[in-house]
Amino acid sequence: MALENIPAYKCIPGTGFVVDGFRESYAGPNVKGYFLSHAHADHYAGLSETWDNGVIYCSEQTARLIQHMDQLRIKKDLVRPLPMDTPVTIDGVEVTLVDANHCPGAVQFLFQLPDGRKYIHCGDMRFGEHLMGNEHLQRFVGADGVFLDTTYCKAKHQFPPQDEAVEHVASTMERLMSEEVNLRRLYIIQTYGIGKERVFIEVARRCKCKLYCSDRKRTVMECLDMPGINKDDIFTSNPRETPVHIVVWGFLGEAFPFFKPNFTKMEEYGKDMGADEVIGWVPTGWTYENKRNMFPVKKKGHCSIHLVPYSEHSSYNELQTYVKFLRPHEARS
Ligand SMILES: [Zn+2]
């Protein structure tokens, strides 16, 4: 039966499954499974600790996050973590989770119906060559439908590979630190609740220092898998222990639809920390739209902000490559 009142791009045809749809008005007896692609607020909208409409299927990392993040705290018996790359059967439908190369815990859902129909729900994703080697995704080449993350579905949205952006932040910060003579610089990295962790790890390694983050952020970090990394070596809860601070999204300025810096707030924070100069970093895909300077810097007084084209969504060219690879009968977004 069709799921009424729910946008079609959240419903898997021929099933009672809803992906990233938790609004109260969506709930009803026809919904046979709620799937969450990843723990970003625009995807879990509608979830809160009072959630009681049914079991939520997601990856193991996402399951930990939605049980422990302050604003969610979903009851344990309503969270069903599923393993990666392992087909499982839910309500007669084979479901497989594969990496979305987005934030930690983010997955794409592969649904194979009893009648053979196949659907891919990508959630948010950043295409990477390695995805084409995934045997489960290969089974879904020629699928009946693909629900695609089209955040950057315009040709103007081009940005470099993530490695290049991470390298740029770490090497620039390392150079700036080596220049400090009779000068105290404070480095501030602005991020969402989760995502961009690769930037933190590389900065800690190259600059040989820890990164300060709030207790709230640390709780989130504890939910994430970081193989080979001891989180105590990377993070500290003492802001005086390190010149590199992680701050919440919006701290350095609004990023959308174009970046508007908040130099006043930066300056005040720098003064509190006893810094002579404050250098901010905003990693986001939104900063780069075919501008000639790929790594722009905005300056005012003792403050400067580096806009870094680090995206966890596919660029326009990457989307094209992915669709060409999957050759679906239908692409929805
Ligand atoms: Zn996301």
Side-chain angles (χ1 to χ4, degrees):
M1 200 183 289
L3 298 169
E4 282 147 25
N5 309 321
I6 310 179
Y9 63 90
K10 292 179 181 289
C11 302
I12 304 304
T15 75
F17 295 167
V18 181
V19 180
D20 297 346
F22 302 97
R23 287 180 201 283
E24 200 56 43
S25 60
Y26 298 169
N30 293 334
V31 179
K32 304 295 180 205
Y34 293 92
F35 291 79
L36 175 60
S37 63
H38 65 292
H40 274 160
D42 50 337
H43 290 256
Y44 63 65
L47 280 183
S48 72
E49 55 190 332
T50 59
W51 171 261
D52 211 9
N53 290 325
V55 165
I56 300 163
Y57 299 97
C58 57
S59 70
E60 285 167 14
Q61 285 193 83
T62 301
R64 290 198 291 273
L65 286 163
I66 63 173
Q67 288 175 82
H68 294 105
M69 281 162 78
D70 274 355
Q71 59 276 41
L72 291 175
R73 301 203 178 279
I74 307 296
K75 296 183 200 92
K76 190 170 190 271
D77 58 340
L78 292 176
V79 181
R80 197 71 35 89
L82 300 176
M84 299 295 291
D85 297 306
T86 311
V88 294
T89 303
I90 298 168
D91 199 41
V93 176
E94 184 200 273
V95 183
T96 312
L97 276 56
V98 297
D99 185 22
N101 196 33
H102 182 59
C103 65
V107 295
Q108 305 179 75
F109 292 111
L110 312 182
F111 298 98
Q112 181 163 358
L113 277 57
D115 63 9
R117 274 182 288 167
K118 291 178 179 170
Y119 295 99
I120 305 173
H121 199 296
C122 298
D124 281 350
M125 69 159 308
R126 173 100 197 238
F127 173 78
E129 296 278 328
H130 66 285
L131 293 178
M132 293 194 285
N134 184 291
E135 56 172 320
H136 299 287
L137 267 178
Q138 285 171 358
R139 279 197 293 125
F140 274 66
V141 166
D144 295 83
V146 174
F147 299 71
L148 207 55
D149 163 22
T150 50
T151 304
Y152 298 118
C153 200
K154 289 199 181 119
K156 66 178 182 178
H157 293 303
Q158 301 301 337
F159 24 74
Q162 281 178 346
D163 288 350
E164 245 174 71
V166 172
E167 164 64 23
H168 172 78
V169 176
S171 62
T172 309
M173 215 182 279
E174 187 182 21
R175 178 176 54 77
L176 289 168
M177 281 185 186
S178 72
E179 289 170 3
E180 287 182 41
V181 181
N182 299 327
L183 174 74
R184 252 198 95 200
R185 283 181 172 140
L186 181 69
Y187 303 85
I188 301 180
I189 307 173
Q190 167 171 311
T191 65
Y192 291 120
I194 52 170
K196 336 279 184 192
E197 289 74 16
R198 290 180 54 210
V199 175
F200 305 156
I201 294 170
E202 192 56 15
V203 165
R205 190 181 74 80
R206 290 279 282 275
C207 301
K208 297 177 185 60
C209 67
K210 291 186 182 181
L211 283 69
Y212 159 73
C213 67
S214 66
D215 291 343
R216 191 174 172 166
K217 177 84 179 171
R218 184 62 195 262
T219 305
V220 171
M221 291 295 134
E222 287 306 313
C223 296
L224 308 183
D225 296 332
M226 291 187 182
I229 301 285
N230 178 351
K231 288 166 190 159
D232 289 332
D233 291 343
I234 299 224
F235 301 111
T236 172
S237 58
N238 177 3
R240 310 278 165 185
E241 192 186 333
T242 172
V244 186
H245 293 196
I246 299 169
V247 295
V248 293
W249 198 253
F251 187 99
L252 295 173
E254 292 303 323
F256 183 83
F258 50 86
F259 188 72
K260 275 185 263 165
N262 188 342
F263 287 120
T264 314
K265 194 166 185 180
M266 263 180 106
E267 179 110 36
E268 279 168 15
Y269 189 75
K271 253 187 214 154
D272 282 354
M273 291 294 145
D276 305 307
E277 269 183 33
V278 188
I279 300 171
W281 307 82
V282 178
T284 171
W286 287 116
T287 61
Y288 183 63
E289 293 183 2
N290 262 357
K291 287 173 192 152
R292 248 178 284 149
N293 180 4
M294 198 187 282
F295 298 100
V297 182
K298 302 200 177 271
K299 281 192 174 152
K300 190 178 178 191
H302 300 296
C303 299
S304 54
I305 298 178
H306 293 244
L307 301 177
V308 183
Y310 179 95
S311 176
E312 291 181 332
H313 298 271
S314 302
S315 68
Y316 180 71
N317 288 353
E318 288 167 344
L319 277 177
Q320 284 187 319
T321 307
Y322 196 42
V323 173
K324 262 185 210 154
F325 162 67
L326 290 174
R327 285 185 278 114
H329 292 181
E330 193 186 351
R332 297 184 186 195
S333 62

PDB file of all heavy atoms in Angstrom, residues 111-143:
ATOM      1  N   PHE A 111      18.023  -2.043  -1.378  1.00  0.00           N
ATOM      2  CA  PHE A 111      16.815  -2.831  -1.093  1.00  0.00           C
ATOM      3  C   PHE A 111      16.524  -3.756  -2.265  1.00  0.00           C
ATOM      4  O   PHE A 111      16.401  -3.286  -3.395  1.00  0.00           O
ATOM      5  CB  PHE A 111      15.604  -1.908  -0.905  1.00  0.00           C
ATOM      6  CG  PHE A 111      15.730  -0.946   0.247  1.00  0.00           C
ATOM      7  CD1 PHE A 111      16.137   0.365   0.032  1.00  0.00           C
ATOM      8  CD2 PHE A 111      15.444  -1.348   1.544  1.00  0.00           C
ATOM      9  CE1 PHE A 111      16.245   1.265   1.086  1.00  0.00           C
ATOM     10  CE2 PHE A 111      15.542  -0.452   2.612  1.00  0.00           C
ATOM     11  CZ  PHE A 111      15.956   0.858   2.380  1.00  0.00           C
ATOM     12  N   GLN A 112      16.412  -5.041  -1.989  1.00  0.00           N
ATOM     13  CA  GLN A 112      15.985  -5.977  -3.040  1.00  0.00           C
ATOM     14  C   GLN A 112      14.663  -6.611  -2.613  1.00  0.00           C
ATOM     15  O   GLN A 112      14.582  -7.306  -1.593  1.00  0.00           O
ATOM     16  CB  GLN A 112      17.034  -7.058  -3.286  1.00  0.00           C
ATOM     17  CG  GLN A 112      16.581  -7.996  -4.405  1.00  0.00           C
ATOM     18  CD  GLN A 112      17.704  -8.835  -4.992  1.00  0.00           C
ATOM     19  OE1 GLN A 112      18.866  -8.715  -4.599  1.00  0.00           O
ATOM     20  NE2 GLN A 112      17.356  -9.699  -5.933  1.00  0.00           N
ATOM     21  N   LEU A 113      13.618  -6.360  -3.412  1.00  0.00           N
ATOM     22  CA  LEU A 113      12.276  -6.838  -3.077  1.00  0.00           C
ATOM     23  C   LEU A 113      12.126  -8.307  -3.455  1.00  0.00           C
ATOM     24  O   LEU A 113      12.871  -8.810  -4.311  1.00  0.00           O
ATOM     25  CB  LEU A 113      11.225  -5.990  -3.808  1.00  0.00           C
ATOM     26  CG  LEU A 113      10.836  -4.664  -3.141  1.00  0.00           C
ATOM     27  CD1 LEU A 113      12.031  -3.762  -2.906  1.00  0.00           C
ATOM     28  CD2 LEU A 113       9.781  -3.937  -3.981  1.00  0.00           C
ATOM     29  N   PRO A 114      11.126  -8.992  -2.877  1.00  0.00           N
ATOM     30  CA  PRO A 114      10.930 -10.411  -3.206  1.00  0.00           C
ATOM     31  C   PRO A 114      10.685 -10.621  -4.699  1.00  0.00           C
ATOM     32  O   PRO A 114      11.039 -11.664  -5.247  1.00  0.00           O
ATOM     33  CB  PRO A 114       9.687 -10.793  -2.391  1.00  0.00           C
ATOM     34  CG  PRO A 114       9.610  -9.795  -1.287  1.00  0.00           C
ATOM     35  CD  PRO A 114      10.210  -8.537  -1.817  1.00  0.00           C
ATOM     36  N   ASP A 115      10.092  -9.622  -5.390  1.00  0.00           N
ATOM     37  CA  ASP A 115       9.856  -9.781  -6.839  1.00  0.00           C
ATOM     38  C   ASP A 115      11.092  -9.435  -7.669  1.00  0.00           C
ATOM     39  O   ASP A 115      11.031  -9.401  -8.909  1.00  0.00           O
ATOM     40  CB  ASP A 115       8.648  -8.938  -7.279  1.00  0.00           C
ATOM     41  CG  ASP A 115       8.882  -7.443  -7.078  1.00  0.00           C
ATOM     42  OD1 ASP A 115      10.027  -7.034  -6.759  1.00  0.00           O
ATOM     43  OD2 ASP A 115       7.922  -6.652  -7.244  1.00  0.00           O
ATOM     44  N   GLY A 116      12.208  -9.147  -7.001  1.00  0.00           N
ATOM     45  CA  GLY A 116      13.463  -8.906  -7.726  1.00  0.00           C
ATOM     46  C   GLY A 116      13.785  -7.438  -7.942  1.00  0.00           C
ATOM     47  O   GLY A 116      14.904  -7.094  -8.323  1.00  0.00           O
ATOM     48  N   ARG A 117      12.799  -6.544  -7.717  1.00  0.00           N
ATOM     49  CA  ARG A 117      13.085  -5.120  -7.938  1.00  0.00           C
ATOM     50  C   ARG A 117      14.180  -4.639  -6.975  1.00  0.00           C
ATOM     51  O   ARG A 117      14.248  -5.083  -5.835  1.00  0.00           O
ATOM     52  CB  ARG A 117      11.823  -4.282  -7.702  1.00  0.00           C
ATOM     53  CG  ARG A 117      10.935  -4.176  -8.930  1.00  0.00           C
ATOM     54  CD  ARG A 117       9.743  -3.296  -8.648  1.00  0.00           C
ATOM     55  NE  ARG A 117       8.782  -3.937  -7.753  1.00  0.00           N
ATOM     56  CZ  ARG A 117       7.780  -3.287  -7.143  1.00  0.00           C
ATOM     57  NH1 ARG A 117       7.623  -1.987  -7.330  1.00  0.00           N
ATOM     58  NH2 ARG A 117       6.933  -3.944  -6.371  1.00  0.00           N
ATOM     59  N   LYS A 118      15.021  -3.731  -7.495  1.00  0.00           N
ATOM     60  CA  LYS A 118      16.141  -3.243  -6.684  1.00  0.00           C
ATOM     61  C   LYS A 118      16.120  -1.714  -6.614  1.00  0.00           C
ATOM     62  O   LYS A 118      15.962  -1.045  -7.654  1.00  0.00           O
ATOM     63  CB  LYS A 118      17.468  -3.680  -7.314  1.00  0.00           C
ATOM     64  CG  LYS A 118      17.712  -5.175  -7.219  1.00  0.00           C
ATOM     65  CD  LYS A 118      19.011  -5.539  -7.916  1.00  0.00           C
ATOM     66  CE  LYS A 118      19.269  -7.036  -7.795  1.00  0.00           C
ATOM     67  NZ  LYS A 118      20.375  -7.475  -8.651  1.00  0.00           N
ATOM     68  N   TYR A 119      16.297  -1.198  -5.407  1.00  0.00           N
ATOM     69  CA  TYR A 119      16.349   0.252  -5.215  1.00  0.00           C
ATOM     70  C   TYR A 119      17.565   0.607  -4.358  1.00  0.00           C
ATOM     71  O   TYR A 119      17.887  -0.095  -3.401  1.00  0.00           O
ATOM     72  CB  TYR A 119      15.078   0.761  -4.523  1.00  0.00           C
ATOM     73  CG  TYR A 119      13.848   0.570  -5.374  1.00  0.00           C
ATOM     74  CD1 TYR A 119      12.993  -0.511  -5.161  1.00  0.00           C
ATOM     75  CD2 TYR A 119      13.562   1.450  -6.421  1.00  0.00           C
ATOM     76  CE1 TYR A 119      11.883  -0.713  -5.966  1.00  0.00           C
ATOM     77  CE2 TYR A 119      12.454   1.265  -7.230  1.00  0.00           C
ATOM     78  CZ  TYR A 119      11.617   0.178  -6.997  1.00  0.00           C
ATOM     79  OH  TYR A 119      10.522  -0.016  -7.807  1.00  0.00           O
ATOM     80  N   ILE A 120      18.197   1.733  -4.726  1.00  0.00           N
ATOM     81  CA  ILE A 120      19.330   2.233  -3.930  1.00  0.00           C
ATOM     82  C   ILE A 120      18.922   3.582  -3.352  1.00  0.00           C
ATOM     83  O   ILE A 120      18.480   4.466  -4.100  1.00  0.00           O
ATOM     84  CB  ILE A 120      20.581   2.450  -4.813  1.00  0.00           C
ATOM     85  CG1 ILE A 120      20.934   1.160  -5.566  1.00  0.00           C
ATOM     86  CG2 ILE A 120      21.762   2.944  -3.978  1.00  0.00           C
ATOM     87  CD1 ILE A 120      22.059   1.338  -6.581  1.00  0.00           C
ATOM     88  N   HIS A 121      19.038   3.729  -2.038  1.00  0.00           N
ATOM     89  CA  HIS A 121      18.829   5.045  -1.431  1.00  0.00           C
ATOM     90  C   HIS A 121      20.182   5.532  -0.922  1.00  0.00           C
ATOM     91  O   HIS A 121      20.754   4.947  -0.008  1.00  0.00           O
ATOM     92  CB  HIS A 121      17.804   4.981  -0.298  1.00  0.00           C
ATOM     93  CG  HIS A 121      17.244   6.341   0.005  1.00  0.00           C
ATOM     94  ND1 HIS A 121      18.024   7.362   0.491  1.00  0.00           N
ATOM     95  CD2 HIS A 121      16.002   6.854  -0.150  1.00  0.00           C
ATOM     96  CE1 HIS A 121      17.268   8.445   0.625  1.00  0.00           C
ATOM     97  NE2 HIS A 121      16.042   8.174   0.248  1.00  0.00           N
ATOM     98  N   CYS A 122      20.690   6.601  -1.524  1.00  0.00           N
ATOM     99  CA  CYS A 122      22.070   7.030  -1.247  1.00  0.00           C
ATOM    100  C   CYS A 122      22.197   7.879   0.016  1.00  0.00           C
ATOM    101  O   CYS A 122      23.322   8.093   0.478  1.00  0.00           O
ATOM    102  CB  CYS A 122      22.614   7.833  -2.424  1.00  0.00           C
ATOM    103  SG  CYS A 122      22.687   6.874  -3.932  1.00  0.00           S
ATOM    104  N   GLY A 123      21.089   8.400   0.559  1.00  0.00           N
ATOM    105  CA  GLY A 123      21.228   9.353   1.667  1.00  0.00           C
ATOM    106  C   GLY A 123      22.086  10.509   1.184  1.00  0.00           C
ATOM    107  O   GLY A 123      21.921  10.969   0.055  1.00  0.00           O
ATOM    108  N   ASP A 124      23.023  10.975   2.011  1.00  0.00           N
ATOM    109  CA  ASP A 124      24.034  11.923   1.547  1.00  0.00           C
ATOM    110  C   ASP A 124      25.269  11.101   1.225  1.00  0.00           C
ATOM    111  O   ASP A 124      25.610  10.179   1.972  1.00  0.00           O
ATOM    112  CB  ASP A 124      24.402  12.924   2.656  1.00  0.00           C
ATOM    113  CG  ASP A 124      23.362  14.030   2.784  1.00  0.00           C
ATOM    114  OD1 ASP A 124      22.474  14.120   1.914  1.00  0.00           O
ATOM    115  OD2 ASP A 124      23.456  14.796   3.758  1.00  0.00           O
ATOM    116  N   MET A 125      25.946  11.429   0.166  1.00  0.00           N
ATOM    117  CA  MET A 125      27.135  10.645  -0.173  1.00  0.00           C
ATOM    118  C   MET A 125      28.173  11.477  -0.912  1.00  0.00           C
ATOM    119  O   MET A 125      27.847  12.482  -1.532  1.00  0.00           O
ATOM    120  CB  MET A 125      26.781   9.435  -1.031  1.00  0.00           C
ATOM    121  CG  MET A 125      26.326   9.834  -2.410  1.00  0.00           C
ATOM    122  SD  MET A 125      26.444   8.553  -3.649  1.00  0.00           S
ATOM    123  CE  MET A 125      28.084   7.992  -3.510  1.00  0.00           C
ATOM    124  N   ARG A 126      29.430  11.063  -0.791  1.00  0.00           N
ATOM    125  CA  ARG A 126      30.490  11.602  -1.641  1.00  0.00           C
ATOM    126  C   ARG A 126      31.008  10.434  -2.449  1.00  0.00           C
ATOM    127  O   ARG A 126      31.527   9.448  -1.893  1.00  0.00           O
ATOM    128  CB  ARG A 126      31.625  12.207  -0.810  1.00  0.00           C
ATOM    129  CG  ARG A 126      32.836  12.642  -1.658  1.00  0.00           C
ATOM    130  CD  ARG A 126      32.877  14.096  -1.935  1.00  0.00           C
ATOM    131  NE  ARG A 126      33.756  14.483  -3.019  1.00  0.00           N
ATOM    132  CZ  ARG A 126      34.765  15.329  -2.918  1.00  0.00           C
ATOM    133  NH1 ARG A 126      35.034  15.887  -1.749  1.00  0.00           N
ATOM    134  NH2 ARG A 126      35.488  15.660  -3.978  1.00  0.00           N
ATOM    135  N   PHE A 127      30.878  10.546  -3.742  1.00  0.00           N
ATOM    136  CA  PHE A 127      31.360   9.465  -4.595  1.00  0.00           C
ATOM    137  C   PHE A 127      32.868   9.309  -4.437  1.00  0.00           C
ATOM    138  O   PHE A 127      33.603  10.277  -4.287  1.00  0.00           O
ATOM    139  CB  PHE A 127      31.015   9.784  -6.053  1.00  0.00           C
ATOM    140  CG  PHE A 127      31.623   8.808  -7.012  1.00  0.00           C
ATOM    141  CD1 PHE A 127      31.049   7.560  -7.180  1.00  0.00           C
ATOM    142  CD2 PHE A 127      32.777   9.131  -7.706  1.00  0.00           C
ATOM    143  CE1 PHE A 127      31.632   6.644  -8.045  1.00  0.00           C
ATOM    144  CE2 PHE A 127      33.353   8.211  -8.569  1.00  0.00           C
ATOM    145  CZ  PHE A 127      32.783   6.971  -8.736  1.00  0.00           C
ATOM    146  N   GLY A 128      33.317   8.061  -4.432  1.00  0.00           N
ATOM    147  CA  GLY A 128      34.749   7.768  -4.452  1.00  0.00           C
ATOM    148  C   GLY A 128      34.942   6.549  -5.338  1.00  0.00           C
ATOM    149  O   GLY A 128      34.052   5.679  -5.390  1.00  0.00           O
ATOM    150  N   GLU A 129      36.064   6.492  -6.021  1.00  0.00           N
ATOM    151  CA  GLU A 129      36.332   5.370  -6.948  1.00  0.00           C
ATOM    152  C   GLU A 129      36.145   4.017  -6.252  1.00  0.00           C
ATOM    153  O   GLU A 129      35.669   3.058  -6.851  1.00  0.00           O
ATOM    154  CB  GLU A 129      37.778   5.448  -7.464  1.00  0.00           C
ATOM    155  CG  GLU A 129      38.087   6.674  -8.304  1.00  0.00           C
ATOM    156  CD  GLU A 129      37.639   6.512  -9.741  1.00  0.00           C
ATOM    157  OE1 GLU A 129      37.679   5.367 -10.224  1.00  0.00           O
ATOM    158  OE2 GLU A 129      37.247   7.536 -10.353  1.00  0.00           O
ATOM    159  N   HIS A 130      36.526   3.970  -4.948  1.00  0.00           N
ATOM    160  CA  HIS A 130      36.485   2.697  -4.233  1.00  0.00           C
ATOM    161  C   HIS A 130      35.068   2.125  -4.162  1.00  0.00           C
ATOM    162  O   HIS A 130      34.887   0.920  -4.049  1.00  0.00           O
ATOM    163  CB  HIS A 130      37.063   2.849  -2.827  1.00  0.00           C
ATOM    164  CG  HIS A 130      36.254   3.731  -1.925  1.00  0.00           C
ATOM    165  ND1 HIS A 130      36.252   5.106  -2.032  1.00  0.00           N
ATOM    166  CD2 HIS A 130      35.394   3.433  -0.916  1.00  0.00           C
ATOM    167  CE1 HIS A 130      35.441   5.610  -1.118  1.00  0.00           C
ATOM    168  NE2 HIS A 130      34.908   4.622  -0.430  1.00  0.00           N
ATOM    169  N   LEU A 131      34.051   2.992  -4.242  1.00  0.00           N
ATOM    170  CA  LEU A 131      32.677   2.487  -4.142  1.00  0.00           C
ATOM    171  C   LEU A 131      32.346   1.543  -5.298  1.00  0.00           C
ATOM    172  O   LEU A 131      31.574   0.595  -5.150  1.00  0.00           O
ATOM    173  CB  LEU A 131      31.679   3.653  -4.128  1.00  0.00           C
ATOM    174  CG  LEU A 131      31.733   4.565  -2.893  1.00  0.00           C
ATOM    175  CD1 LEU A 131      30.739   5.708  -3.033  1.00  0.00           C
ATOM    176  CD2 LEU A 131      31.436   3.776  -1.624  1.00  0.00           C
ATOM    177  N   MET A 132      32.962   1.809  -6.449  1.00  0.00           N
ATOM    178  CA  MET A 132      32.641   0.980  -7.624  1.00  0.00           C
ATOM    179  C   MET A 132      33.166  -0.443  -7.459  1.00  0.00           C
ATOM    180  O   MET A 132      32.756  -1.345  -8.175  1.00  0.00           O
ATOM    181  CB  MET A 132      33.199   1.630  -8.892  1.00  0.00           C
ATOM    182  CG  MET A 132      32.490   2.944  -9.199  1.00  0.00           C
ATOM    183  SD  MET A 132      32.792   3.559 -10.856  1.00  0.00           S
ATOM    184  CE  MET A 132      34.448   4.173 -10.707  1.00  0.00           C
ATOM    185  N   GLY A 133      34.070  -0.627  -6.492  1.00  0.00           N
ATOM    186  CA  GLY A 133      34.589  -1.971  -6.235  1.00  0.00           C
ATOM    187  C   GLY A 133      33.726  -2.754  -5.254  1.00  0.00           C
ATOM    188  O   GLY A 133      33.982  -3.942  -5.019  1.00  0.00           O
ATOM    189  N   ASN A 134      32.710  -2.127  -4.669  1.00  0.00           N
ATOM    190  CA  ASN A 134      31.878  -2.808  -3.669  1.00  0.00           C
ATOM    191  C   ASN A 134      30.994  -3.854  -4.356  1.00  0.00           C
ATOM    192  O   ASN A 134      30.182  -3.528  -5.227  1.00  0.00           O
ATOM    193  CB  ASN A 134      31.019  -1.778  -2.924  1.00  0.00           C
ATOM    194  CG  ASN A 134      30.206  -2.423  -1.817  1.00  0.00           C
ATOM    195  OD1 ASN A 134      29.268  -3.181  -2.087  1.00  0.00           O
ATOM    196  ND2 ASN A 134      30.559  -2.144  -0.582  1.00  0.00           N
ATOM    197  N   GLU A 135      31.146  -5.109  -3.923  1.00  0.00           N
ATOM    198  CA  GLU A 135      30.432  -6.197  -4.616  1.00  0.00           C
ATOM    199  C   GLU A 135      28.912  -6.054  -4.506  1.00  0.00           C
ATOM    200  O   GLU A 135      28.175  -6.455  -5.410  1.00  0.00           O
ATOM    201  CB  GLU A 135      30.863  -7.569  -4.057  1.00  0.00           C
ATOM    202  CG  GLU A 135      30.674  -7.678  -2.568  1.00  0.00           C
ATOM    203  CD  GLU A 135      30.903  -9.087  -2.030  1.00  0.00           C
ATOM    204  OE1 GLU A 135      30.487 -10.040  -2.694  1.00  0.00           O
ATOM    205  OE2 GLU A 135      31.488  -9.208  -0.933  1.00  0.00           O
ATOM    206  N   HIS A 136      28.432  -5.463  -3.424  1.00  0.00           N
ATOM    207  CA  HIS A 136      26.980  -5.311  -3.271  1.00  0.00           C
ATOM    208  C   HIS A 136      26.451  -4.232  -4.213  1.00  0.00           C
ATOM    209  O   HIS A 136      25.417  -4.400  -4.852  1.00  0.00           O
ATOM    210  CB  HIS A 136      26.629  -5.014  -1.814  1.00  0.00           C
ATOM    211  CG  HIS A 136      27.049  -6.117  -0.893  1.00  0.00           C
ATOM    212  ND1 HIS A 136      26.390  -7.318  -0.842  1.00  0.00           N
ATOM    213  CD2 HIS A 136      28.114  -6.211  -0.046  1.00  0.00           C
ATOM    214  CE1 HIS A 136      27.016  -8.106   0.026  1.00  0.00           C
ATOM    215  NE2 HIS A 136      28.061  -7.469   0.515  1.00  0.00           N
ATOM    216  N   LEU A 137      27.191  -3.119  -4.300  1.00  0.00           N
ATOM    217  CA  LEU A 137      26.782  -2.083  -5.250  1.00  0.00           C
ATOM    218  C   LEU A 137      26.829  -2.624  -6.678  1.00  0.00           C
ATOM    219  O   LEU A 137      25.947  -2.324  -7.500  1.00  0.00           O
ATOM    220  CB  LEU A 137      27.700  -0.872  -5.140  1.00  0.00           C
ATOM    221  CG  LEU A 137      27.257   0.240  -4.197  1.00  0.00           C
ATOM    222  CD1 LEU A 137      28.301   1.341  -4.164  1.00  0.00           C
ATOM    223  CD2 LEU A 137      25.906   0.824  -4.607  1.00  0.00           C
ATOM    224  N   GLN A 138      27.835  -3.448  -6.958  1.00  0.00           N
ATOM    225  CA  GLN A 138      27.931  -4.022  -8.310  1.00  0.00           C
ATOM    226  C   GLN A 138      26.690  -4.851  -8.643  1.00  0.00           C
ATOM    227  O   GLN A 138      26.215  -4.851  -9.771  1.00  0.00           O
ATOM    228  CB  GLN A 138      29.197  -4.878  -8.423  1.00  0.00           C
ATOM    229  CG  GLN A 138      30.448  -4.024  -8.541  1.00  0.00           C
ATOM    230  CD  GLN A 138      31.727  -4.831  -8.447  1.00  0.00           C
ATOM    231  OE1 GLN A 138      31.692  -6.050  -8.252  1.00  0.00           O
ATOM    232  NE2 GLN A 138      32.856  -4.168  -8.571  1.00  0.00           N
ATOM    233  N   ARG A 139      26.144  -5.531  -7.602  1.00  0.00           N
ATOM    234  CA  ARG A 139      24.925  -6.325  -7.816  1.00  0.00           C
ATOM    235  C   ARG A 139      23.742  -5.436  -8.175  1.00  0.00           C
ATOM    236  O   ARG A 139      22.758  -5.883  -8.724  1.00  0.00           O
ATOM    237  CB  ARG A 139      24.556  -7.081  -6.516  1.00  0.00           C
ATOM    238  CG  ARG A 139      25.309  -8.349  -6.245  1.00  0.00           C
ATOM    239  CD  ARG A 139      24.583  -9.179  -5.201  1.00  0.00           C
ATOM    240  NE  ARG A 139      24.557  -8.565  -3.878  1.00  0.00           N
ATOM    241  CZ  ARG A 139      23.449  -8.328  -3.178  1.00  0.00           C
ATOM    242  NH1 ARG A 139      22.251  -8.618  -3.680  1.00  0.00           N
ATOM    243  NH2 ARG A 139      23.513  -7.799  -1.965  1.00  0.00           N
ATOM    244  N   PHE A 140      23.839  -4.143  -7.802  1.00  0.00           N
ATOM    245  CA  PHE A 140      22.725  -3.221  -8.019  1.00  0.00           C
ATOM    246  C   PHE A 140      22.896  -2.359  -9.276  1.00  0.00           C
ATOM    247  O   PHE A 140      22.111  -1.445  -9.507  1.00  0.00           O
ATOM    248  CB  PHE A 140      22.513  -2.347  -6.775  1.00  0.00           C
ATOM    249  CG  PHE A 140      21.626  -3.025  -5.756  1.00  0.00           C
ATOM    250  CD1 PHE A 140      22.044  -4.185  -5.106  1.00  0.00           C
ATOM    251  CD2 PHE A 140      20.364  -2.526  -5.473  1.00  0.00           C
ATOM    252  CE1 PHE A 140      21.215  -4.823  -4.186  1.00  0.00           C
ATOM    253  CE2 PHE A 140      19.532  -3.151  -4.556  1.00  0.00           C
ATOM    254  CZ  PHE A 140      19.957  -4.304  -3.907  1.00  0.00           C
ATOM    255  N   VAL A 141      23.932  -2.654 -10.070  1.00  0.00           N
ATOM    256  CA  VAL A 141      24.059  -1.954 -11.359  1.00  0.00           C
ATOM    257  C   VAL A 141      22.826  -2.308 -12.181  1.00  0.00           C
ATOM    258  O   VAL A 141      22.425  -3.468 -12.245  1.00  0.00           O
ATOM    259  CB  VAL A 141      25.361  -2.379 -12.082  1.00  0.00           C
ATOM    260  CG1 VAL A 141      25.340  -1.939 -13.544  1.00  0.00           C
ATOM    261  CG2 VAL A 141      26.572  -1.808 -11.357  1.00  0.00           C
ATOM    262  N   GLY A 142      22.176  -1.296 -12.767  1.00  0.00           N
ATOM    263  CA  GLY A 142      20.938  -1.531 -13.517  1.00  0.00           C
ATOM    264  C   GLY A 142      19.714  -1.598 -12.621  1.00  0.00           C
ATOM    265  O   GLY A 142      18.665  -2.111 -13.024  1.00  0.00           O
ATOM    266  N   ALA A 143      19.816  -1.065 -11.387  1.00  0.00           N
ATOM    267  CA  ALA A 143      18.701  -1.091 -10.426  1.00  0.00           C
ATOM    268  C   ALA A 143      17.476  -0.380 -10.999  1.00  0.00           C
ATOM    269  O   ALA A 143      17.576   0.434 -11.919  1.00  0.00           O
ATOM    270  CB  ALA A 143      19.131  -0.421  -9.125  1.00  0.00           C
TER     271      ALA A 143
END
